[in-house]
Amino acid sequence: VPIFILAGLLVHSVFLISIFDIYFSSPLVHGMTPQQTPLPPPAKRLVLFVADGLRADSLYELNSNEMPQAPYLRGILENNGSWGISHTRVPTESRPGHVALIAGFYEDVSAVAKGWKENPVEFDSVFNESKYTWSWGSPDILPMFAKGATGDHVYTFCYSAESEDFGAQDAAKLDVWVFDQVKSFLNSSRSNQTLFSALNEEKVVLFLHLLGIDTNGHAHRPNSREYKENIKKVDEGVKEIASMIDNFYGNDGKTAFILTSDHGMTDWGSHGAGHPSETLTPLIVWGAGVNYPQKVTSQFFEDNFLKEWKLENLKRLDVNQADIAPLMASLIGVPFPLNSVGTLPLEYLNNSAHFKAESMFTNAVQVLEQFKVSKHQKKHSYISIFFYRPLSDSEQISFLKKIRLFIQQQKYDEAVSLSKSLINLALEGLSYYHTYDRLFLGLSISASFVGWTTYVIVTIIKTHTNLTKTVQTSSKESTILFYCFAFIGMVIAFFLLIQTCPWTYYIYCLLPVPVWYAVMKELPVIEGLATNLLSLPISQSVGFLLVCTLGIEILVFSFFYRSTLSIGLVVFAGWPLITQLWAQAKGTTLVWILLCVLLAVFPLMPVVGREPNISLVVAAGLVTLLISCFSLASLCRSENKYRNNNDLQLHFYQMLSIALSTYVVSSTHESLKNKHGLPLLNQIISWMTLVSSSLLPLLSPTFLFQRLFSILLSLMSTYLLLSTGYEALFPLVLSGLMFVWINMEQEALQHYGLSLKPKLSGFNFACATDISQFRQLHLDDIRRSFFFIFFLVTAFFGTGNIASVNSFDPASVYCFLTVFSPFMMGGLLVLKVVIPFVLVSCAFEAIQVTTQLSSKSLFLIVLVISDIMALHFFFLVKDYGSWLDIGTSISHYVLVMSLTMFMMLMNGVAQLLTTQRLELPRRTKHHSM
């Protein structure tokens, strides 16, 4: 068993990691030559304002008095500059947003996972190409651009990480700090000749990262007074800084200004997914080399924002977020960032047609350089049968000659058009070479998936059923089989060797060999199974397969539409009615139906976090206390052999913990609402509750219902602290259904004469490991395993979908901390997701031991179902189309693969929580003489 579990973990780890090599390997290549526009730039310096978390509509819309939210910036876009919407990509987080803005490329998924503040991959940026860059703002953003720069010319000034407090009285102070620091910096430079000279050089960048809007949005929501007041403060600060810089440089007209945002924010104060409120950010550009507002009579966009914002007559110039990097490079005359995939938005430039054509040509050559390096790398590593045809070496030369000739003939429009065509072809080619290995890697992983699932099915049939007889294969056949597979492995390894493939490719391509070897060794079992299946009526076999397929498809469908879970739960409610269970136990059946219907309501509710409702959390706490009182009363009346005074004390302590959690949630959110911050006492109680919740169940008796109820109370006290609304009621309903499920399975077992129902109340987990009692599998056990997976998926999607996990809403963790700490906050949110999983896993552990099944046999069935689901999602992973689809497809696959490995872990956790007991040292009595 340990070898099988280890092999399963290794195989699933390979399956999980493989999508990052197949679909999401780093797009970056190195070794390009920097490309710079040969003509003098319009600006000597650039000032970049990034208002973190600022939505486009929040900046552009008019308030209730028909006045602009940001009067100075509104005046700029109406009279002095150009404006539009910058379209971001998911994940809409600060780090990838800033990389797209300043480096011009979209970070791959694996790079985002490698670090928050640091530079996990080497990339070039506008800051790196500048003569000097001075930056002010958050310690989460600035250091990665300084670390990635060559030389010592990118300077950072950050406030402390502790300043990023969601519970602070006014997060706008972060932006005020930045503006004050810039003013102080410019004033001090007048008395520092070295600094003054550096500031007066060309190709200088001043970067102001303004985090206050994002922090206020998380804490108070984007429609709050605090968020809107922060926008006004930023508007006033930008006005002061712009005026001060113009005065500092004697109004020389050589400063370009850009204001934009890294991402937006949903109405409920989160970001990370692909909702338009998260992906639409403002872009306002003014100053040297920038076009003045362009009046138009009509313009067409699919949205209705222009009318809402009263900007129908001013030309709106939309860009992709990565296009801003080449725009900045063109304005101050620095080389385009080497890895940029952005296209220069010419309509923002106020310059000669010659300058625009040269800039566009430079942009095209810079993207082409990446294509050439990528092609060169593949050419030296792979057999070049399937190389990209549209951009052969001769065609590249032809393109470049034509564009240069058009520029010489002053046919600038033709030169720009041809440059754009070359950029598009080069980006297509870049994508082609980036995905060059996808087909054969995908086929290899698919073969491993099918082989592994087949092997698990064969193992179930061989060791846990009576369907086949064990047949020994001859040693000669085994030897021939071994050498055949060894030869296939050597051929694959040789093929990979001559192509100088990375070492991970050897794992992906060689994995099917041992997996299918293990399957083929069990060929007699497969033949025996086929014989048995053929002896059954065809309608019975086909019906069974159809029911299994339908069940798995419903599970897959529920990942896209949560309401599918509600339909499934309603079907579950009718399960006793179509079997003998209704006649056997009407009372238990009625409770089952009621709880199934109640649980079916949760997937129909909106995603958690959108509308906080602390009164529902308090109600959940009070309901838990009420149930605990009934349980305590029942425990007091029970026979002595099931309890002692220590058990009653523990039960009382757990009730006290629930009461404290309810109070802490209520008082913390009230304190934050009044801007008094997170009370220290509440924070201490929250962390103590979190630590004790994993230990208290181990002190309770190991009798089935007492231990399970103790686990519920402990986990519920932590879950309440992490709740903000209706989800606090979810574990209560889920646990109620789990308790009834345990009873229902006992009723179902009466059909086989195995029920332990009369003994359930006195059933002891600690005495349930006698292996001689374990039985063979029945068809009904497949239904049990399906129920388990369905309840696990319900535990995850019951109160939200994948967007609610991707979207980072810190409100859930305010009882524990309010200072921004992405990994700590992320860990607590993961814990919140895990708690319902633990409740379901413990109930399933109880069902395994009370139905006399070994955990391995049921777990193997669960493994087959989840692996078939995972294969579905492997083929559904996307790296094209809408970025919400891409993010969701990755999340679905990672979730199902993690679920498979997670179930192995949960099985261990459930066994620990149910079977182990900690004995506290007893006080010895000393008798006086």
Side-chain angles (χ1 to χ4, degrees):
V1 173
I3 293 170
F4 184 87
I5 290 173
L6 184 62
L9 281 170
L10 286 171
V11 168
H12 285 91
S13 298
V14 172
F15 290 163
L16 179 59
I17 295 163
S18 68
I19 65 155
F20 295 105
D21 265 336
I22 297 171
Y23 292 99
F24 302 102
S25 55
S26 175
L28 299 187
V29 289
H30 300 286
M32 290 79 69
T33 310
Q35 302 297 321
Q36 185 175 343
T37 307
L39 300 178
K44 284 186 174 181
R45 65 202 72 89
L46 173 84
V47 183
L48 173 64
F49 302 95
V50 176
D52 203 304
L54 177 60
R55 290 161 49 147
D57 58 345
S58 296
L59 181 68
Y60 293 139
E61 69 187 3
L62 303 176
N63 61 24
S64 54
N65 300 321
E66 294 296 306
M67 296 297 289
Q69 300 281 9
Y72 173 73
L73 290 168
R74 181 78 175 203
I76 289 290
L77 70 87
E78 287 180 349
N79 305 305
N80 302 95
S82 294
W83 75 284
I85 289 176
S86 167
H87 295 262
T88 72
R89 291 187 178 183
V90 294
T92 45
E93 300 288 357
S94 292
R95 181 201 159 85
H98 280 88
V99 170
L101 279 171
I102 297 161
F105 74 93
Y106 303 102
E107 261 189 323
D108 64 289
V109 178
S110 53
V112 177
K114 288 175 189 170
W116 193 268
K117 301 175 187 178
E118 297 301 326
N119 224 344
V121 288
E122 293 301 318
F123 61 80
D124 192 21
S125 70
V126 173
F127 295 175
N128 186 41
E129 296 292 355
S130 68
K131 186 77 177 279
Y132 295 106
T133 292
W134 286 274
S135 55
W136 297 264
S138 166
D140 296 321
I141 297 300
L142 305 188
M144 68 177 174
F145 292 104
K147 188 185 175 190
T150 52
D152 185 23
H153 64 278
V154 178
Y155 305 102
T156 61
F157 304 92
C158 306
Y159 38 75
S160 67
E162 289 71 29
S163 303
E164 299 174 23
D165 188 349
F166 296 118
Q169 285 190 355
D170 187 12
K173 67 181 182 184
L174 299 174
D175 299 340
V176 173
W177 183 92
V178 170
F179 293 134
D180 289 345
Q181 288 289 314
V182 176
K183 291 173 198 171
S184 172
F185 173 78
L186 291 173
N187 288 329
S188 65
S189 69
R190 297 181 191 278
S191 56
N192 183 334
Q193 190 55 46
T194 308
L195 180 57
F196 188 79
S197 300
L199 278 166
N200 279 281
E201 293 274 3
E202 295 183 348
K203 302 175 184 176
V204 165
V205 178
L206 303 177
F207 170 42
L208 286 73
H209 176 241
L210 308 167
L211 187 64
I213 292 174
D214 183 71
T215 309
N216 267 322
H218 283 307
H220 305 289
R221 310 294 184 252
N223 292 318
S224 64
R225 181 181 55 81
E226 289 84 358
Y227 187 86
K228 290 172 181 175
E229 286 293 325
N230 204 149
I231 292 173
K232 285 183 181 173
K233 284 191 179 176
V234 165
D235 184 58
E236 291 161 7
V238 169
K239 181 181 179 181
E240 285 181 42
I241 296 299
S243 174
M244 190 172 185
I245 287 172
D246 283 339
N247 291 334
F248 182 85
Y249 289 107
N251 293 300
D252 64 354
K254 290 290 182 181
T255 309
F257 297 91
I258 293 180
L259 179 133
T260 187
S261 175
D262 54 346
H263 56 76
M265 189 172 284
T266 59
D267 288 341
W268 50 96
S270 67
H271 56 82
H275 191 271
S277 60
E278 298 165 89
T279 60
L280 303 182
T281 58
L283 175 63
I284 302 176
V285 190
W286 72 101
V290 180
N291 251 336
Y292 285 97
Q294 300 170 56
K295 302 283 185 184
V296 289
T297 51
S298 66
Q299 49 185 331
F300 175 75
F301 287 93
E302 288 183 1
D303 53 61
N304 295 315
F305 292 137
L306 289 170
K307 195 172 182 182
E308 290 173 25
W309 301 338
K310 305 242 181 329
L311 290 169
E312 307 100 302
N313 299 323
L314 289 174
K315 190 165 187 182
R316 170 178 147 188
L317 307 170
D318 283 15
V319 300
N320 291 320
Q321 196 172 41
D323 298 342
I324 296 172
L327 175 62
M328 292 192 287
S330 177
L331 286 170
I332 56 172
V334 299
F336 286 45
L338 294 174
N339 298 111
S340 171
V341 293
T343 304
L344 178 64
L346 289 178
E347 288 179 294
Y348 275 88
L349 296 179
N350 180 16
N351 216 313
S352 65
H354 183 202
F355 180 85
K356 290 180 181 179
E358 285 286 3
S359 296
M360 206 71 214
F361 180 51
T362 304
N363 193 177
V365 173
Q366 170 260 321
V367 176
L368 185 63
E369 278 285 312
Q370 293 179 75
F371 168 79
K372 286 159 74 174
V373 169
S374 185
K375 182 179 180 181
H376 178 76
Q377 287 176 355
K378 294 293 181 196
K379 200 171 183 179
H380 278 260
S381 301
Y382 293 87
I383 301 166
S384 56
I385 305 168
F386 305 110
F387 269 30
Y388 188 64
R389 301 299 175 197
L391 266 185
S392 61
D393 293 346
S394 58
E395 284 187 359
Q396 291 174 37
I397 294 165
S398 171
F399 261 106
L400 297 175
K401 280 184 176 176
K402 280 181 185 175
I403 297 168
R404 179 50 63 200
L405 187 63
F406 280 142
I407 292 173
Q408 287 171 356
Q409 294 172 348
Q410 298 185 1
K411 295 180 179 177
Y412 300 126
D413 289 343
E414 288 87 342
V416 166
S417 177
L418 204 55
S419 295
K420 286 181 178 177
S421 299
L422 179 56
I423 288 172
N424 291 332
L425 280 172
L427 288 174
E428 280 178 23
L430 205 56
S431 173
Y432 177 83
Y433 286 122
H434 181 220
T435 59
Y436 190 72
D437 311 321
R438 184 169 297 174
L439 179 64
F440 86 91
L441 289 179
L443 288 172
S444 298
I445 293 295
S446 301
S448 299
F449 249 121
V450 174
W452 170 257
T453 308
T454 307
Y455 178 68
V456 176
I457 292 170
V458 168
T459 304
I460 293 169
I461 290 159
K462 182 182 175 184
T463 58
H464 298 283
T465 69
N466 299 316
L467 288 175
T468 59
K469 293 177 182 176
T470 306
V471 180
Q472 290 292 329
T473 54
S474 68
S475 58
K476 186 180 178 182
E477 286 177 358
S478 298
T479 307
I480 292 168
L481 192 67
F482 174 77
Y483 282 119
C484 284
F485 275 90
F487 176 72
I488 292 167
M490 287 166 66
V491 170
I492 293 169
F494 177 73
F495 179 74
L496 295 170
L497 191 65
I498 60 171
Q499 297 203 101
T500 61
C501 292
W503 65 270
T504 49
Y505 286 26
Y506 287 83
I507 296 172
Y508 304 144
C509 297
L510 289 172
L511 184 61
V513 177
V515 169
W516 278 102
Y517 171 65
V519 172
M520 295 308 291
K521 274 178 72 178
E522 306 295 343
L523 197 58
V525 178
I526 297 169
E527 288 170 351
L529 174 65
T531 307
N532 269 325
L533 286 175
L534 290 171
S535 66
L536 293 171
I538 293 175
S539 58
Q540 196 175 334
S541 301
V542 172
F544 177 70
L545 284 172
L546 280 175
V547 169
C548 290
T549 306
L550 181 65
I552 290 169
E553 291 306 319
I554 285 171
L555 284 172
V556 171
F557 210 66
S558 69
F559 278 66
F560 300 96
Y561 304 99
R562 289 169 58 215
S563 55
T564 310
L565 294 171
S566 299
I567 297 167
L569 286 164
V570 170
V571 173
F572 281 13
W575 161 58
L577 302 177
I578 57 173
T579 59
Q580 300 296 317
L581 296 176
W582 169 249
Q584 286 174 226
K586 289 185 179 175
T588 310
T589 300
L590 285 171
V591 178
W592 166 267
I593 292 169
L594 174 68
L595 287 171
C596 278
V597 172
L598 272 177
L599 196 63
V601 172
F602 286 93
L604 300 175
M605 302 280 278
V607 174
V608 163
R610 296 192 176 188
E611 294 297 331
N613 190 337
I614 301 303
S615 57
L616 280 176
V617 182
V618 173
L622 295 175
V623 170
T624 310
L625 280 174
L626 187 64
I627 295 169
S628 301
C629 289
F630 283 120
S631 174
L632 188 63
S634 170
L635 196 63
C636 290
R637 289 198 304 268
S638 69
E639 298 174 37
N640 288 332
K641 65 177 180 176
Y642 293 151
R643 67 163 178 91
N644 57 45
N645 287 335
N646 286 343
D647 300 342
L648 294 177
Q649 284 175 15
L650 177 67
H651 196 95
F652 181 75
Y653 289 146
Q654 290 186 304
M655 287 175 64
L656 182 64
S657 180
I658 293 285
L660 275 174
S661 294
T662 308
Y663 165 75
V664 166
V665 168
S666 177
S667 63
T668 298
H669 284 270
E670 191 62 33
S671 176
L672 292 172
K673 189 178 175 183
N674 297 327
K675 298 187 179 178
H676 295 150
L678 170 59
L680 181 61
L681 180 62
N682 288 14
Q683 192 174 20
I684 292 168
I685 292 171
S686 298
W687 284 107
M688 285 177 68
T689 303
L690 177 63
V691 173
S692 66
S693 65
S694 58
L695 296 174
L696 285 178
L698 299 178
L699 297 171
S700 66
T702 51
F703 295 111
L704 191 141
F705 287 116
Q706 280 181 252
R707 175 53 69 96
L708 289 180
F709 194 69
S710 178
I711 291 167
L712 169 63
L713 290 183
S714 286
L715 296 180
M716 193 67 193
S717 58
T718 302
Y719 199 85
L720 286 170
L721 294 170
L722 292 165
S723 298
T724 59
Y726 74 84
E727 82 272 21
L729 295 161
F730 181 71
L732 279 179
V733 180
L734 182 67
S735 298
L737 188 59
M738 293 300 99
F739 282 121
V740 180
W741 184 29
I742 294 167
N743 279 298
M744 291 294 283
E745 291 298 352
Q746 287 305 306
E747 298 289 352
L749 271 182
Q750 285 191 13
H751 176 69
Y752 300 99
L754 295 166
S755 181
L756 290 171
K757 192 170 186 298
K759 305 177 189 174
L760 268 188
S761 58
F763 186 85
N764 196 326
F765 277 115
C767 307
T769 53
D770 181 8
I771 200 154
S772 64
Q773 294 179 354
F774 292 153
R775 60 176 174 80
Q776 296 286 48
L777 288 170
H778 304 134
L779 269 181
D780 216 25
D781 296 319
I782 297 174
R783 194 255 318 143
R784 287 188 183 93
S785 302
F786 178 77
F787 272 29
F788 174 53
I789 294 184
F790 191 92
F791 286 135
L792 276 182
V793 174
T794 305
F796 185 83
F797 287 107
T799 57
N801 57 18
I802 207 69
S804 68
V805 176
N806 282 353
S807 301
F808 196 68
D809 180 13
S812 296
V813 301
Y814 283 167
C815 291
F816 294 90
L817 74 164
T818 53
V819 175
F820 183 64
S821 174
F823 295 110
M824 182 70 77
M825 289 176 162
L828 288 167
L829 288 173
V830 168
L831 176 65
K832 183 180 178 180
V833 171
V834 165
I835 285 171
F837 277 133
V838 176
L839 294 173
V840 175
S841 297
C842 289
F844 192 58
E845 176 69 18
I847 284 166
Q848 285 178 130
V849 294
T850 56
T851 56
Q852 299 175 352
L853 264 176
S854 71
S855 58
K856 183 189 172 189
S857 56
L858 271 185
F859 176 73
L860 288 175
I861 302 173
V862 168
L863 198 61
V864 170
I865 296 170
S866 58
D867 278 348
I868 295 170
M869 287 170 62
L871 189 58
H872 271 75
F873 289 116
F874 180 78
F875 289 114
L876 291 172
V877 172
K878 295 179 182 176
D879 69 339
Y880 60 88
S882 95
W883 279 87
L884 177 60
D885 290 346
I886 294 167
T888 305
S889 70
I890 303 166
S891 303
H892 284 165
Y893 180 72
V894 170
L895 179 67
V896 176
M897 287 311 306
S898 303
L899 188 66
T900 309
M901 292 187 283
F902 188 63
M903 279 188 298
M904 296 183 187
L905 178 66
M906 282 295 102
N907 192 38
V909 170
Q911 281 189 11
L912 174 72
L913 284 175
T914 53
T915 59
Q916 300 302 310
R917 185 171 188 186
L918 296 175
E919 293 288 348
L920 292 177
R922 295 179 182 274
R923 243 183 291 170
T924 53
K925 294 181 180 178
H926 297 280
H927 299 282
S928 56
M929 297 297 289

